[in-house]
Amino acid sequence: MAGDSEMQLPCPLFEGSEKRIEVGFAFGAGTPVDGLRSLSRDQLDGLMSQAACCIVSHRAEQDFDAYVLSESSLFVYPERLMLKTCGTTQLLAAVPLLLKLAQGLGMHACCTKYSRASFLFPEKQPAPYHAFSEEVAFLETQFGQLNGSAYVMGDALHGLQWHIYAAGGPERQTRCSRQAQASIEVCMTHLCPNKAAQFCRGANFVSAQQTTVSSGIADLLPGSDIDEFVFEPCGYSMNGLQGEAFSTVHITPEEACCYASVELTGCPDVDPAAFLAKVADIFRPGRMTVCLTSAAASSAHLSMPAPKGYTALGSSVQRLPGGATAVVHSLQLPKLGSVLTNEPDLAGQAMSEDARTDDDAMSSATALGLSGDIAPHVGYASSHSSESGLKGRPGSPDSPLLWAELQGVSGVKPPELQDAVCSKAMALCSIVTRHGAVPVPDGKPATIDAFLTRLIRQHGLEDPVCVVDLGAVARLFRDWMAAMPRVVPFYAVKANNDEGILAMLAALGAGFDCASDAELDMVLRLGVSPDRIVFANACKRPRDIRAAASKQVALTTFDTPSELAKLARWHPSARALLRIRADDPAARCQLGNKYGADPDDARALLKAAKEFGVAVRGVSFHVGSGATDPEAFREAIQLARTAFDAGTELGFQMDLLDIGGGFCSAAGFAGGVTAAVNSALAEHFPASLGAQIIAEPGRYFAETAATLACMVFGVRDGAPADAAPTRDYWITDGLYGSMNSLLYDHATVAPRPLRIASAAPDQAPRAESAPLTRGSIFGPSCDGLDTVLTDYPLPRLQSGDWLVFAEHGAYTFCGACAFNGMDPTPSIFYIFSET
Ligand SMILES: *Cc1c(COP(=O)(O)O)cnc(C)c1O
């Protein structure tokens, strides 16, 4: 059982990239000489708790105080304060209290500068840090009177971008204020692993002071008074104080999120190129972005030589309010660029301690999972899967995909997404990716398992991951229109309300079936016009009817006089569809017990509508979800025609037939359903009748579009007497999460393994050769009912491996709840596959 102790669970990701604010103040008549330095420690602690961090160490110099924080640093001068925080801290939340405390000292803000590089994990940030525009909007509420400006510098494709909000200028141009404007800030990623390892409390750790000296950090600003801190189990922060100048270094050494920053402020005479060369030597980062700020633009800053071995990716210059100029340079080791654009994998390449070459960063990038070449997943067909012919179906392990993550935020579209429909879908999606950019291997086929492996490794993921394939949605739409050209699909939002799926269908021209106010909003937000919506809930809550009326959604269904009474009262301009009952007794989920009027009662209900003054324009039905019997559709269409004629006889303008949902896509349309629909329509609703035909498919579009992956985080071996050994697993999603479908949707699941921890993907044993052990798969909650599978055969997995659930998009995520405080919301990644 030795293997079990080798837990290979990912470490949580930490955001190293810092937010930084500097506020300069003017003294008032009663301000103490020490200005801000006269704030008490209690007051500063209160200020830091606003920002969600705390002081861990303090050093005082004649001119200022320097504090090491749980997340970065704070510097307090009499007339200015500089706060820098990393992680998910709330730096801006400290601003109102800062201004209030300063006011108590008779001081008022005269200038400010807020800056940050791009976040490595923007999705982990709280509001307002999701978007620079939101941060700026907040700053304007605090410093609006200073007439600020906001800039984003650098290339959105390569390296980190630099965001600056600057406002006001120093009250008087003093020597001190000019000096304060001089700063060099360096942000680094893809650190050489050997270099990063120095900043952990590992076996070789002696002391924080020793780390400062042996790493070379002590030489950055020679002769300064250094206050350093090495965190448990890893991470390093230091402040160096010298006269009025300070340096500050912060390091996140963990592989999956490694990052380091170095800042030197108040030393106008330091040669930036020489300083940068020292920094590059200490960390050997694969990529670095440097921002030089000075009182006057200096040509030395604009055409600075790159440190040895580095190539410049680009530079930007910006003049800031208050007179300073900012210059941003992005640099990288040349070999890193090739890793990022998918060169052959050099993983496993030996790295010797003295090999201070570019290969260090190279290996670092490989360790991050940035390497493009992940060997194709070896096909695995579980014995639970009823067929082996999975090829080409979305989400199957061996279906070739041309994938690309949609990058809605930056607006960058890979060439295969230039297609008009898809760009339109992207334009409609406000949140396309929650994990930023993933390198796109140009036109290179990748399997979904290779894509998942890359994502999981690159982001150090441990919570459930969902890959939504918008290409599959587009193909399903095309297949639908080819199979039933007269029937316009109105997608049933309840099956999966994912914004990408909704946006894609909206762009393709589908309509929508909504059943609540909230579902209406999701669809209307995408710009869908109200007449492309059917409110197909036959028994609506009063609040939903009022919402439909106020949002001008007229088309809705009814099957009782009581519903007609509600419509007459709250939605007099509704255009109603009579829902009749027409069940497929073999359908997976029955609806007839609850909805649909007996066809024999149709005439009476239509008469009641007349009396209530509700306008009826057609008939609808739903044979049951997951329907397979073509005859059920044929009979239902025939019954609908009878009710349709009754409506016409009673004087209604009957012009719409809604054939509901129930369609399957996992194995194509269920045999003969589309042919039965087409021939029944031709017979009972010929084009000459002039009726428009719509349907309400939910499962059809959602089911195969999403693939779920969950991590194994616990294993248990059993050896029952007289029986084969068993091996049980705990995974991060379960019956209270997306697998509620096992209860509510009568679903079955057949996950396949994804070896993230127990083997490199190219070493995964072939399904035929791997010995299988049977066991249970449990969800994460503390309920025994939360059992996903029993007696399920899998090759031997360990914690940190994953299970992949293909075709998991319908009636899964939308019904999940956070029982036990476990939020089952997966991280969503969008791909656009092509076959
Ligand atoms: C659930 C539902 C649908 C979608 O059914 P599928 O079987 O997923 O196609 C359509 N219409 C109504 C009224 C529904 O309740």
Side-chain angles (χ1 to χ4, degrees), residues 205-262:
F205 178 73
V206 180
S207 67
Q209 289 79 0
Q210 179 62 36
T211 304
T212 305
V213 173
S214 60
S215 63
I217 289 175
D219 304 328
L220 279 176
L221 186 57
S224 52
D225 173 19
I226 292 181
D227 184 12
E228 64 270 271
F229 201 90
V230 176
F231 294 89
E232 182 71 49
C234 54
Y236 172 97
S237 282
M238 81 76 133
N239 291 331
L241 302 79
Q242 196 194 75
E244 287 178 12
F246 68 81
S247 55
T248 184
V249 177
H250 302 283
I251 305 164
T252 305
E254 293 98 319
E255 265 187 351
C257 48
C258 82
Y259 172 86
S261 75
V262 172

Coordinates of all heavy atoms in Angstrom, one line a residue, residues 205-262:
F205 N 16.8 24.9 4.8 CA 16.5 26.2 5.4 C 17.3 26.4 6.7 O 17.3 25.6 7.6 CB 15.0 26.3 5.6 CG 14.6 27.7 6.2 CD1 14.6 28.8 5.5 CD2 14.3 27.8 7.6 CE1 14.3 30.0 6.0 CE2 13.9 29.0 8.1 CZ 13.9 30.1 7.4
V206 N 18.0 27.6 6.7 CA 18.7 27.9 7.9 C 18.0 29.1 8.6 O 17.5 28.9 9.8 CB 20.2 28.3 7.6 CG1 21.0 28.7 8.8 CG2 20.9 27.2 6.8
S207 N 18.0 30.2 8.0 CA 17.3 31.4 8.6 C 16.9 32.3 7.4 O 17.4 32.2 6.3 CB 18.2 32.1 9.5 OG 19.3 32.7 8.8
A208 N 16.0 33.2 7.8 CA 15.5 34.2 6.8 C 16.7 35.0 6.3 O 16.9 35.3 5.1 CB 14.4 35.0 7.3
Q209 N 17.6 35.4 7.3 CA 18.8 36.3 7.0 C 19.7 35.5 6.0 O 20.2 36.1 5.0 CB 19.6 36.6 8.3 CG 18.9 37.6 9.2 CD 17.8 36.9 10.0 OE1 17.5 35.7 10.0 NE2 17.1 37.7 10.9
Q210 N 19.9 34.2 6.3 CA 20.7 33.4 5.4 C 20.2 33.4 4.0 O 20.9 33.4 3.0 CB 20.9 32.0 6.0 CG 21.7 31.1 5.2 CD 23.2 31.5 5.2 OE1 23.7 32.1 6.1 NE2 23.8 31.4 4.0
T211 N 18.9 33.2 3.9 CA 18.2 33.2 2.6 C 18.5 34.5 1.8 O 18.8 34.5 0.6 CB 16.7 33.0 2.8 OG1 16.5 31.8 3.5 CG2 16.0 32.9 1.4
T212 N 18.4 35.6 2.5 CA 18.6 36.9 1.9 C 20.0 37.0 1.3 O 20.2 37.5 0.2 CB 18.4 38.0 2.9 OG1 17.1 37.9 3.5 CG2 18.5 39.4 2.3
V213 N 21.0 36.5 2.1 CA 22.4 36.6 1.6 C 22.7 35.6 0.5 O 23.1 36.0 -0.5 CB 23.3 36.3 2.8 CG1 24.8 36.3 2.4 CG2 23.2 37.4 3.9
S214 N 22.3 34.3 0.7 CA 22.7 33.3 -0.2 C 21.9 33.4 -1.6 O 22.5 33.1 -2.6 CB 22.5 31.9 0.4 OG 21.1 31.7 0.7
S215 N 20.8 34.0 -1.5 CA 20.0 34.2 -2.8 C 20.6 35.3 -3.6 O 20.3 35.4 -4.8 CB 18.5 34.4 -2.5 OG 18.4 35.6 -1.8
G216 N 21.3 36.3 -3.0 CA 21.8 37.4 -3.7 C 20.9 38.7 -3.5 O 21.3 39.8 -4.0
I217 N 19.8 38.5 -2.7 CA 18.9 39.6 -2.5 C 19.6 40.7 -1.7 O 19.4 41.9 -1.9 CB 17.6 39.1 -1.8 CG1 16.8 38.3 -2.9 CG2 16.8 40.3 -1.3 CD1 15.6 37.7 -2.3
A218 N 20.5 40.3 -0.8 CA 21.2 41.3 0.0 C 22.0 42.3 -0.9 O 22.3 43.4 -0.4 CB 22.2 40.6 1.0
D219 N 22.4 41.9 -2.1 CA 23.2 42.8 -2.9 C 22.4 43.7 -3.8 O 23.0 44.5 -4.5 CB 24.1 41.9 -3.8 CG 25.0 41.0 -3.1 OD1 25.4 41.3 -1.9 OD2 25.2 39.9 -3.6
L220 N 21.1 43.6 -3.7 CA 20.3 44.5 -4.6 C 20.4 45.9 -4.2 O 20.6 46.8 -5.1 CB 18.8 44.1 -4.5 CG 18.3 42.9 -5.3 CD1 16.9 42.6 -5.0 CD2 18.6 43.1 -6.8
L221 N 20.4 46.3 -3.0 CA 20.6 47.6 -2.5 C 21.6 47.6 -1.4 O 21.3 47.5 -0.2 CB 19.3 48.2 -2.0 CG 19.2 49.7 -1.6 CD1 19.6 50.6 -2.8 CD2 17.8 50.0 -1.2
P222 N 22.9 47.5 -1.7 CA 23.9 47.2 -0.7 C 23.9 48.2 0.4 O 23.6 49.4 0.2 CB 25.2 47.3 -1.5 CG 24.9 47.1 -3.0 CD 23.5 47.7 -3.1
G223 N 24.1 47.8 1.6 CA 24.2 48.7 2.7 C 22.9 49.0 3.3 O 22.8 49.8 4.2
S224 N 21.8 48.4 2.9 CA 20.5 48.7 3.4 C 20.2 47.9 4.7 O 20.7 46.8 4.8 CB 19.4 48.6 2.4 OG 19.4 47.4 1.7
D225 N 19.3 48.4 5.5 CA 18.8 47.7 6.7 C 17.7 46.7 6.2 O 16.7 47.2 5.7 CB 18.3 48.7 7.7 CG 17.7 48.1 8.9 OD1 17.9 46.9 9.1 OD2 16.9 48.8 9.6
I226 N 17.9 45.4 6.4 CA 16.9 44.5 5.8 C 16.1 43.8 6.8 O 16.6 43.3 7.8 CB 17.7 43.4 4.9 CG1 18.2 44.2 3.7 CG2 16.7 42.3 4.5 CD1 19.0 43.3 2.7
D227 N 14.8 43.8 6.6 CA 13.8 43.1 7.4 C 13.2 42.0 6.6 O 12.4 42.3 5.6 CB 12.8 44.1 7.9 CG 11.8 43.5 8.9 OD1 12.0 42.4 9.4 OD2 10.8 44.2 9.2
E228 N 13.5 40.8 6.8 CA 13.0 39.7 5.9 C 12.2 38.7 6.7 O 12.2 38.6 7.9 CB 14.1 39.0 5.2 CG 15.1 38.2 6.1 CD 16.3 39.1 6.5 OE1 17.3 39.2 5.8 OE2 16.1 39.7 7.6
F229 N 11.4 37.9 6.0 CA 10.5 36.9 6.6 C 10.3 35.8 5.6 O 10.0 36.0 4.4 CB 9.1 37.6 6.8 CG 8.3 36.9 7.8 CD1 8.4 37.3 9.2 CD2 7.4 35.9 7.5 CE1 7.6 36.6 10.1 CE2 6.6 35.3 8.4 CZ 6.7 35.6 9.8
V230 N 10.5 34.5 6.1 CA 10.2 33.4 5.2 C 9.0 32.7 5.8 O 9.0 32.3 7.0 CB 11.4 32.4 5.2 CG1 11.1 31.1 4.4 CG2 12.6 33.1 4.5
F231 N 8.0 32.5 5.0 CA 6.7 32.0 5.4 C 6.7 30.5 5.5 O 7.6 29.8 4.9 CB 5.6 32.5 4.5 CG 5.4 34.0 4.6 CD1 6.0 34.8 3.8 CD2 4.5 34.5 5.5 CE1 5.9 36.2 3.8 CE2 4.3 35.9 5.6 CZ 5.0 36.7 4.7
E232 N 5.8 29.9 6.2 CA 5.6 28.4 6.4 C 4.5 28.0 5.4 O 3.4 28.6 5.4 CB 5.2 28.1 7.8 CG 5.0 26.7 8.1 CD 6.3 25.9 8.2 OE1 7.3 26.4 8.8 OE2 6.4 24.9 7.5
P233 N 4.6 27.0 4.5 CA 5.9 26.3 4.3 C 6.8 27.0 3.3 O 8.0 26.6 3.2 CB 5.3 25.0 3.6 CG 4.1 25.4 2.9 CD 3.5 26.6 3.7
C234 N 6.3 27.9 2.5 CA 7.2 28.6 1.6 C 6.7 30.0 1.3 O 5.5 30.4 1.6 CB 7.4 27.8 0.4 SG 5.9 27.4 -0.5
G235 N 7.5 30.8 0.7 CA 7.2 32.2 0.5 C 8.2 33.1 1.2 O 8.6 32.8 2.3
Y236 N 8.5 34.2 0.6 CA 9.6 35.1 1.2 C 9.1 36.6 0.9 O 8.6 36.9 -0.2 CB 10.9 34.8 0.5 CG 12.0 35.8 0.8 CD1 13.0 35.5 1.8 CD2 12.1 37.0 0.1 CE1 14.0 36.4 2.1 CE2 13.2 37.9 0.4 CZ 14.1 37.6 1.4 OH 15.1 38.4 1.7
S237 N 9.3 37.4 1.9 CA 9.1 38.8 1.8 C 10.2 39.6 2.5 O 10.7 39.1 3.5 CB 7.8 39.3 2.5 OG 6.7 38.9 1.7
M238 N 10.6 40.7 1.9 CA 11.6 41.5 2.6 C 11.4 43.0 2.3 O 10.9 43.4 1.2 CB 13.0 41.1 2.3 CG 13.6 41.6 0.9 SD 14.0 43.4 1.0 CE 15.6 43.4 0.2
N239 N 11.8 43.8 3.3 CA 11.9 45.3 3.1 C 13.3 45.7 3.3 O 13.9 45.3 4.3 CB 11.0 46.0 4.0 CG 9.5 45.8 3.7 OD1 9.1 45.6 2.6 ND2 8.7 45.9 4.8
G240 N 13.9 46.5 2.4 CA 15.2 47.0 2.7 C 15.1 48.5 2.8 O 14.4 49.2 2.0
L241 N 15.7 49.1 3.9 CA 15.6 50.5 4.1 C 17.0 51.2 4.0 O 18.0 50.7 4.6 CB 15.1 50.8 5.5 CG 13.7 50.2 5.9 CD1 13.8 48.7 6.3 CD2 13.1 50.9 7.1
Q242 N 17.0 52.3 3.3 CA 18.3 53.0 3.2 C 18.0 54.5 2.9 O 17.5 54.9 1.8 CB 19.1 52.4 2.0 CG 20.6 52.9 2.1 CD 21.3 52.6 0.8 OE1 21.1 53.3 -0.2 NE2 22.1 51.5 0.8
G243 N 18.3 55.3 3.9 CA 18.0 56.8 3.8 C 16.5 56.9 3.5 O 15.7 56.4 4.3
E244 N 16.1 57.6 2.4 CA 14.7 57.8 2.1 C 14.2 56.7 1.1 O 13.1 56.6 0.8 CB 14.5 59.1 1.5 CG 14.5 60.3 2.4 CD 14.4 61.6 1.8 OE1 14.0 61.6 0.6 OE2 14.6 62.6 2.4
A245 N 15.2 55.8 0.7 CA 14.8 54.8 -0.3 C 14.5 53.5 0.3 O 14.9 53.2 1.5 CB 16.0 54.6 -1.2
F246 N 13.7 52.7 -0.4 CA 13.4 51.3 0.1 C 13.4 50.4 -1.1 O 13.2 50.7 -2.3 CB 12.1 51.2 0.8 CG 10.9 51.4 0.0 CD1 10.4 50.4 -0.8 CD2 10.2 52.6 0.0 CE1 9.2 50.6 -1.6 CE2 9.0 52.8 -0.8 CZ 8.6 51.8 -1.6
S247 N 13.7 49.1 -0.8 CA 13.6 48.0 -1.7 C 12.6 47.0 -1.1 O 12.5 47.0 0.1 CB 14.9 47.3 -2.1 OG 15.5 46.9 -0.9
T248 N 11.9 46.3 -1.9 CA 11.0 45.3 -1.3 C 10.9 44.1 -2.3 O 10.8 44.3 -3.5 CB 9.6 45.9 -0.9 OG1 8.8 44.9 -0.3 CG2 8.9 46.5 -2.1
V249 N 10.9 42.9 -1.8 CA 10.9 41.7 -2.6 C 9.9 40.8 -2.0 O 9.8 40.6 -0.8 CB 12.3 41.0 -2.5 CG1 12.3 39.7 -3.4 CG2 13.4 42.0 -3.1
H250 N 9.1 40.2 -2.9 CA 8.1 39.2 -2.5 C 8.1 38.0 -3.5 O 8.1 38.2 -4.7 CB 6.7 39.9 -2.5 CG 6.7 41.1 -1.6 ND1 6.6 40.9 -0.2 CD2 6.8 42.4 -1.8 CE1 6.6 42.1 0.3 NE2 6.7 43.0 -0.6
I251 N 8.1 36.8 -2.9 CA 8.2 35.6 -3.7 C 7.2 34.6 -3.4 O 7.0 34.2 -2.2 CB 9.7 35.0 -3.5 CG1 10.7 36.1 -3.8 CG2 9.9 33.8 -4.4 CD1 12.1 35.8 -3.3
T252 N 6.6 34.0 -4.4 CA 5.7 32.9 -4.3 C 6.3 31.7 -5.0 O 6.3 31.7 -6.3 CB 4.3 33.2 -4.9 OG1 3.8 34.4 -4.4 CG2 3.3 32.1 -4.7
P253 N 7.0 30.8 -4.3 CA 7.8 29.9 -5.1 C 7.1 28.6 -5.6 O 7.7 27.9 -6.4 CB 8.9 29.5 -4.1 CG 8.3 29.8 -2.7 CD 7.2 30.7 -2.9
E254 N 5.9 28.4 -5.1 CA 5.2 27.1 -5.6 C 5.1 27.0 -7.1 O 4.8 28.0 -7.8 CB 3.8 27.1 -5.0 CG 3.7 27.0 -3.5 CD 3.4 28.3 -2.8 OE1 4.1 29.3 -3.3 OE2 2.7 28.4 -1.9
E255 N 5.4 25.8 -7.6 CA 5.5 25.6 -9.0 C 4.3 26.1 -9.8 O 4.4 26.8 -10.8 CB 5.7 24.1 -9.3 CG 7.1 23.7 -9.5 CD 7.3 22.3 -9.9 OE1 6.2 21.6 -9.9 OE2 8.4 21.9 -10.2
A256 N 3.1 25.7 -9.3 CA 1.9 26.0 -10.1 C 1.6 27.5 -10.2 O 0.8 27.9 -11.0 CB 0.7 25.2 -9.5
C257 N 2.2 28.3 -9.3 CA 1.8 29.7 -9.3 C 3.0 30.6 -9.0 O 2.9 31.6 -8.4 CB 0.7 29.9 -8.3 SG 1.0 29.3 -6.6
C258 N 4.2 30.1 -9.5 CA 5.4 30.8 -9.0 C 5.5 32.2 -9.6 O 5.1 32.5 -10.8 CB 6.6 30.0 -9.3 SG 7.2 30.1 -11.0
Y259 N 6.0 33.1 -8.8 CA 5.9 34.6 -9.1 C 6.9 35.3 -8.1 O 7.0 34.8 -7.0 CB 4.5 35.1 -8.9 CG 4.4 36.6 -9.0 CD1 4.2 37.2 -10.2 CD2 4.5 37.4 -7.8 CE1 4.1 38.6 -10.3 CE2 4.4 38.8 -7.9 CZ 4.2 39.4 -9.2 OH 4.1 40.7 -9.3
A260 N 7.6 36.3 -8.6 CA 8.4 37.1 -7.7 C 8.3 38.6 -8.2 O 8.1 38.8 -9.4 CB 9.8 36.6 -7.7
S261 N 8.4 39.5 -7.2 CA 8.4 40.9 -7.5 C 9.5 41.5 -6.8 O 9.8 41.2 -5.6 CB 7.1 41.6 -7.2 OG 7.0 41.8 -5.8
V262 N 10.2 42.5 -7.4 CA 11.2 43.3 -6.8 C 10.9 44.8 -7.1 O 10.6 45.1 -8.2 CB 12.6 42.9 -7.4 CG1 13.7 43.9 -6.9 CG2 13.0 41.5 -7.1

